[in-house]
Amino acid sequence: MAATALCLLPFAATAQGGHWPSGPIRFVVPYPPGGPTDLMARLLQPELQTRLGATVIIDNKGGAGGNVGSAEVARQAPADGQTLLLAASGPMAVNASLFRSMPFNALTDLQPVIQISSFPLVLETHPSMGIRNVKDFIARVRKEPGAITFASAGNGTPQHLAGEIFGKAVGAKLTHVPYRGAGPALNDVVGGQVPVMFDILASSLQHVQAGKLVPLAVTSATRSPALPNVPTLAEAGLPGVELTAWHGIAVRTGTPQPIVDKLNATLNAIFADPAFKKKWEALGTPVVGGTPEQFGGLIRTESVRLGRVVRESGATAE
């Protein structure tokens, strides 16, 4: 019996988080390489390796608006903290209202660890529109309801939801033009084929700075340090119109709380480092951090709010 008990001690310690991590950590990114979600994972990778003393392997598992990779962690990964999910607002709070059926339940199958980003979107127009402020843009939309088109990365994406929220706030619909990804959408807006986009600031900043797109407002509660002279939508006369594309870290539900707490503390320490903070903010998002409970509250609140926007828009993924 004594020998059996001794054999079980390492397992018990790992289950309580004392010997975690016990090997390489798989970091699942539910989108292809190259986008903001992937870039965040690649910034965090060396920091996590150093602080946790374990190899961190990034695994890009794109498909179905982030559902494929998210479902793999939620339903297949062991609940031992050795598999992390870069949890995005789409699969965590939007897709349940967008897809007819879901391969996982974000509210029950995944354990929130920490929020890591809050990307503002920028309402931008092609220079050929001749519009330089939100007031004139609203007047144009109201004068020509349905005639103004806006591009997005696809149904249910932050770019799409921002356009729907804006149209409802001003009482005049914009016509949605969904693309298969933000890159093709942005290319057509820069080229003038579609005149308007609500895009994640990090993606559009270079085009704004080059004068190829005109920034009218940002969708966050405060101005972006990257565009300090561009007002928020609230400052431009639309109070309460706010949307950010947020991300966090999650693990499979059932992961021992000490492991969740250790991972949360490690990530908060990473974000507190001034050198890392500067690199992180260069992506276009402020450092967020906080507790697992705060991230869980955001997921629940946004699931209700953004789900309502999707249903009212009539958008579906199929």
Side-chain angles (χ1 to χ4, degrees):
M1 286 291 292
T4 301
L6 286 173
C7 289
L8 290 175
L9 279 175
F11 174 80
T14 300
Q16 294 303 312
H19 292 167
W20 179 85
S22 59
I25 292 174
R26 182 170 165 242
F27 196 174
V28 176
V29 178
Y31 297 99
T37 311
D38 180 61
L39 293 176
M40 286 187 288
R42 295 183 189 280
L43 272 182
L44 286 171
Q45 180 188 34
E47 298 290 334
L48 288 170
Q49 289 186 151
T50 298
R51 292 172 187 266
L52 295 176
T55 300
V56 176
I57 302 167
I58 295 176
D59 188 2
N60 294 90
K61 289 278 185 179
N67 283 350
V68 172
S70 301
E72 188 167 319
V73 177
R75 304 304 295 270
Q76 299 177 29
D80 59 3
Q82 297 297 133
T83 303
L84 313 180
L85 172 68
L86 207 154
S89 51
M92 296 300 288
V94 176
N95 289 359
S97 299
L98 190 66
F99 287 77
R100 188 175 295 110
S101 63
M102 285 285 286
F104 72 102
N105 186 321
L107 298 177
T108 59
D109 296 337
L110 290 165
Q111 165 65 44
V113 175
I114 190 171
Q115 183 184 357
I116 64 172
S117 80
S118 182
F119 283 95
L121 280 71
V122 57
L123 165 56
E124 56 201 15
T125 62
H126 191 267
S128 63
M129 286 194 78
I131 292 175
R132 295 292 183 271
N133 58 66
V134 175
K135 181 180 178 181
D136 289 347
F137 182 65
I138 293 174
R140 176 81 170 271
V141 172
R142 287 174 173 168
K143 183 180 179 181
E144 305 174 31
I148 307 298
T149 57
F150 75 100
S152 86
N155 284 334
T157 59
Q159 296 93 334
H160 172 213
L161 298 182
E164 297 292 345
I165 292 171
F166 180 89
K168 185 174 181 181
V170 303
K173 186 175 180 61
L174 296 161
T175 296
H176 178 219
V177 182
Y179 284 75
R180 296 179 67 86
L186 184 59
N187 287 341
D188 273 8
V189 176
V190 171
Q193 285 86 353
V194 182
V196 177
M197 188 170 181
F198 295 79
D199 192 30
I200 294 174
L201 179 55
S203 301
S204 285
L205 186 59
Q206 60 177 323
H207 299 296
V208 169
Q209 292 172 334
K212 296 178 180 179
L213 295 173
V214 179
L216 305 184
V218 292
T219 64
S220 47
T222 58
R223 294 193 182 198
S224 169
L227 294 175
N229 296 322
V230 176
T232 66
L233 284 173
E235 290 175 325
L238 294 173
V241 180
E242 181 183 337
L243 180 73
T244 58
W246 46 263
H247 303 78
I249 305 296
V251 292
R252 187 172 182 178
T253 295
T255 299
Q257 192 60 43
I259 292 177
V260 174
D261 292 341
K262 183 176 180 179
L263 183 55
N264 175 270
T266 300
L267 286 158
N268 273 314
I270 291 171
F271 290 126
D273 178 75
F276 182 84
K277 182 180 179 181
K278 184 176 181 180
K279 289 189 290 185
W280 193 257
E281 290 177 342
L283 293 176
T285 174
V287 165
V288 183
T291 67
E293 292 75 22
Q294 287 171 326
F295 185 34
L298 173 73
I299 294 168
R300 291 189 296 273
T301 300
E302 290 285 83
S303 294
V304 174
R305 183 173 79 100
L306 299 180
R308 183 184 304 118
V309 174
V310 171
R311 289 189 294 274
E312 290 177 351
S313 74
T316 65
E318 285 92 0

Short mmCIF file of all heavy atoms in Angstrom, two decimals, residues 124-132 140 189-192 194-196 207-208 210-216:
data_model
loop_
_atom_site.label_atom_id
_atom_site.label_comp_id
_atom_site.label_asym_id
_atom_site.label_seq_id
_atom_site.Cartn_x
_atom_site.Cartn_y
_atom_site.Cartn_z
N GLU A 124 -13.62 53.71 -40.96
CA GLU A 124 -12.77 54.33 -41.97
C GLU A 124 -13.48 54.34 -43.33
O GLU A 124 -14.27 53.45 -43.63
CB GLU A 124 -11.44 53.57 -42.09
CG GLU A 124 -11.61 52.09 -42.40
CD GLU A 124 -10.40 51.26 -42.03
OE1 GLU A 124 -9.53 51.74 -41.28
OE2 GLU A 124 -10.33 50.10 -42.49
N THR A 125 -13.18 55.37 -44.10
CA THR A 125 -13.78 55.51 -45.42
C THR A 125 -12.70 55.70 -46.47
O THR A 125 -11.58 56.13 -46.16
CB THR A 125 -14.75 56.71 -45.49
OG1 THR A 125 -14.01 57.92 -45.23
CG2 THR A 125 -15.86 56.57 -44.47
N HIS A 126 -13.05 55.38 -47.71
CA HIS A 126 -12.13 55.65 -48.80
C HIS A 126 -12.14 57.16 -49.07
O HIS A 126 -13.19 57.80 -49.00
CB HIS A 126 -12.56 54.89 -50.07
CG HIS A 126 -11.54 54.91 -51.14
ND1 HIS A 126 -11.54 55.88 -52.14
CD2 HIS A 126 -10.45 54.12 -51.38
CE1 HIS A 126 -10.52 55.66 -52.95
NE2 HIS A 126 -9.84 54.60 -52.52
N PRO A 127 -10.97 57.75 -49.36
CA PRO A 127 -10.92 59.20 -49.59
C PRO A 127 -11.88 59.70 -50.66
O PRO A 127 -12.32 60.86 -50.61
CB PRO A 127 -9.45 59.43 -50.01
CG PRO A 127 -8.70 58.30 -49.38
CD PRO A 127 -9.64 57.12 -49.43
N SER A 128 -12.23 58.85 -51.61
CA SER A 128 -13.11 59.27 -52.70
C SER A 128 -14.51 59.65 -52.20
O SER A 128 -15.25 60.35 -52.91
CB SER A 128 -13.23 58.17 -53.76
OG SER A 128 -13.83 57.01 -53.21
N MET A 129 -14.88 59.22 -50.98
CA MET A 129 -16.19 59.60 -50.44
C MET A 129 -16.24 61.07 -50.09
O MET A 129 -17.33 61.67 -50.01
CB MET A 129 -16.53 58.77 -49.20
CG MET A 129 -16.93 57.33 -49.47
SD MET A 129 -17.70 56.55 -48.03
CE MET A 129 -19.37 57.27 -48.11
N GLY A 130 -15.09 61.65 -49.82
CA GLY A 130 -15.03 63.06 -49.47
C GLY A 130 -15.57 63.37 -48.09
O GLY A 130 -15.97 64.52 -47.80
N ILE A 131 -15.60 62.40 -47.21
CA ILE A 131 -16.13 62.58 -45.85
C ILE A 131 -14.98 62.57 -44.86
O ILE A 131 -14.09 61.71 -44.93
CB ILE A 131 -17.15 61.47 -45.52
CG1 ILE A 131 -18.40 61.66 -46.38
CG2 ILE A 131 -17.51 61.46 -44.04
CD1 ILE A 131 -19.43 60.57 -46.23
N ARG A 132 -15.01 63.52 -43.92
CA ARG A 132 -13.91 63.67 -42.98
C ARG A 132 -14.32 63.58 -41.51
O ARG A 132 -13.48 63.67 -40.63
CB ARG A 132 -13.19 65.01 -43.22
CG ARG A 132 -12.50 65.12 -44.57
CD ARG A 132 -11.31 64.17 -44.66
NE ARG A 132 -10.57 64.27 -45.92
CZ ARG A 132 -10.84 63.58 -47.01
NH1 ARG A 132 -11.86 62.73 -47.01
NH2 ARG A 132 -10.11 63.70 -48.10
N ARG A 140 -24.93 61.36 -44.52
CA ARG A 140 -24.91 60.68 -45.82
C ARG A 140 -25.68 59.35 -45.73
O ARG A 140 -26.46 59.00 -46.63
CB ARG A 140 -23.46 60.44 -46.23
CG ARG A 140 -23.29 59.65 -47.52
CD ARG A 140 -23.44 60.54 -48.76
NE ARG A 140 -23.04 59.79 -49.94
CZ ARG A 140 -21.80 59.73 -50.42
NH1 ARG A 140 -20.82 60.40 -49.83
NH2 ARG A 140 -21.53 59.05 -51.50
N VAL A 189 -11.39 47.78 -49.80
CA VAL A 189 -11.70 49.12 -49.28
C VAL A 189 -10.58 50.09 -49.67
O VAL A 189 -10.84 51.22 -50.12
CB VAL A 189 -11.89 49.08 -47.75
CG1 VAL A 189 -12.10 50.49 -47.20
CG2 VAL A 189 -13.09 48.21 -47.39
N VAL A 190 -9.34 49.67 -49.53
CA VAL A 190 -8.22 50.51 -49.95
C VAL A 190 -8.30 50.78 -51.45
O VAL A 190 -7.99 51.88 -51.92
CB VAL A 190 -6.88 49.84 -49.59
CG1 VAL A 190 -5.70 50.61 -50.21
CG2 VAL A 190 -6.71 49.77 -48.08
N GLY A 191 -8.76 49.80 -52.21
CA GLY A 191 -8.88 49.96 -53.65
C GLY A 191 -10.10 50.74 -54.09
O GLY A 191 -10.24 51.07 -55.27
N GLY A 192 -11.03 51.02 -53.14
CA GLY A 192 -12.20 51.81 -53.46
C GLY A 192 -13.39 51.02 -53.97
O GLY A 192 -14.43 51.61 -54.30
N VAL A 194 -15.26 48.97 -52.20
CA VAL A 194 -16.25 49.16 -51.14
C VAL A 194 -15.77 50.37 -50.34
O VAL A 194 -14.60 50.42 -49.96
CB VAL A 194 -16.37 47.91 -50.24
CG1 VAL A 194 -17.43 48.12 -49.16
CG2 VAL A 194 -16.69 46.68 -51.07
N PRO A 195 -16.64 51.35 -50.05
CA PRO A 195 -16.14 52.61 -49.51
C PRO A 195 -15.93 52.68 -48.00
O PRO A 195 -15.30 53.62 -47.52
CB PRO A 195 -17.22 53.62 -49.93
CG PRO A 195 -18.48 52.80 -49.97
CD PRO A 195 -18.06 51.44 -50.46
N VAL A 196 -16.46 51.71 -47.26
CA VAL A 196 -16.46 51.84 -45.79
C VAL A 196 -16.05 50.51 -45.15
O VAL A 196 -16.38 49.43 -45.66
CB VAL A 196 -17.86 52.25 -45.28
CG1 VAL A 196 -17.89 52.33 -43.74
CG2 VAL A 196 -18.29 53.58 -45.89
N HIS A 207 -2.49 51.82 -43.48
CA HIS A 207 -3.21 52.46 -44.59
C HIS A 207 -3.74 53.83 -44.17
O HIS A 207 -3.78 54.76 -44.98
CB HIS A 207 -4.36 51.56 -45.04
CG HIS A 207 -3.90 50.23 -45.54
ND1 HIS A 207 -3.11 50.07 -46.66
CD2 HIS A 207 -4.11 48.97 -45.05
CE1 HIS A 207 -2.87 48.80 -46.85
NE2 HIS A 207 -3.46 48.10 -45.90
N VAL A 208 -4.15 53.95 -42.91
CA VAL A 208 -4.59 55.25 -42.39
C VAL A 208 -3.42 56.23 -42.38
O VAL A 208 -3.54 57.38 -42.82
CB VAL A 208 -5.18 55.08 -40.98
CG1 VAL A 208 -5.39 56.44 -40.32
CG2 VAL A 208 -6.50 54.31 -41.04
N ALA A 210 -0.83 56.18 -44.17
CA ALA A 210 -0.40 56.50 -45.54
C ALA A 210 -1.40 57.37 -46.29
O ALA A 210 -1.16 57.76 -47.44
CB ALA A 210 -0.16 55.21 -46.31
N GLY A 211 -2.55 57.67 -45.66
CA GLY A 211 -3.56 58.51 -46.29
C GLY A 211 -4.46 57.76 -47.26
O GLY A 211 -5.25 58.38 -47.98
N LYS A 212 -4.36 56.42 -47.27
CA LYS A 212 -5.19 55.64 -48.18
C LYS A 212 -6.59 55.43 -47.64
O LYS A 212 -7.51 55.08 -48.41
CB LYS A 212 -4.52 54.29 -48.45
CG LYS A 212 -3.19 54.41 -49.17
CD LYS A 212 -2.55 53.04 -49.38
CE LYS A 212 -1.23 53.15 -50.10
NZ LYS A 212 -0.57 51.83 -50.28
N LEU A 213 -6.79 55.61 -46.34
CA LEU A 213 -8.09 55.51 -45.70
C LEU A 213 -8.25 56.68 -44.75
O LEU A 213 -7.27 57.15 -44.16
CB LEU A 213 -8.22 54.19 -44.93
CG LEU A 213 -8.21 52.91 -45.76
CD1 LEU A 213 -8.16 51.69 -44.85
CD2 LEU A 213 -9.42 52.84 -46.69
N VAL A 214 -9.48 57.15 -44.59
CA VAL A 214 -9.77 58.29 -43.71
C VAL A 214 -10.41 57.76 -42.42
O VAL A 214 -11.51 57.20 -42.46
CB VAL A 214 -10.72 59.29 -44.40
CG1 VAL A 214 -11.01 60.46 -43.46
CG2 VAL A 214 -10.12 59.78 -45.71
N PRO A 215 -9.76 57.94 -41.27
CA PRO A 215 -10.34 57.47 -40.01
C PRO A 215 -11.34 58.49 -39.47
O PRO A 215 -11.00 59.66 -39.29
CB PRO A 215 -9.12 57.35 -39.10
CG PRO A 215 -8.19 58.43 -39.58
CD PRO A 215 -8.42 58.54 -41.08
N LEU A 216 -12.56 58.03 -39.21
CA LEU A 216 -13.59 58.94 -38.70
C LEU A 216 -13.75 58.83 -37.18
O LEU A 216 -14.00 59.82 -36.51
CB LEU A 216 -14.93 58.67 -39.37
CG LEU A 216 -14.97 58.71 -40.90
CD1 LEU A 216 -16.40 58.51 -41.39
CD2 LEU A 216 -14.39 60.02 -41.42
#
